[in-house]
Amino acid sequence: MQGITTICPNCGEEIILDFTPSRGEIVNCLQCGESSEVIHTDPLSL
């Protein structure tokens, strides 16, 4: 499965998810450690 990508709003690095997130779900940036909430799923934005 190819990952779903978005950009971390804190540091600007690409976040690659290996699952399809739901609106309201929290994802973490591995680069800076920031937790962000999914606000849109199509296109994915935090």
Side-chain angles (χ1 to χ4, degrees):
M1 175 181 163
Q2 188 172 8
I4 298 170
T5 63
T6 190
I7 301 298
C8 175
N10 186 57
C11 70
E13 289 294 318
E14 185 176 59
I15 299 174
I16 302 172
L17 303 175
D18 60 355
F19 62 94
T20 303
S22 300
R23 186 172 176 225
E25 192 165 350
I26 302 298
V27 296
N28 298 309
C29 176
L30 297 177
Q31 188 67 32
C32 71
E34 184 74 15
S35 297
S36 300
E37 182 178 355
V38 175
I39 56 173
H40 296 287
T41 57
D42 191 19
L44 180 60
S45 61
L46 306 176

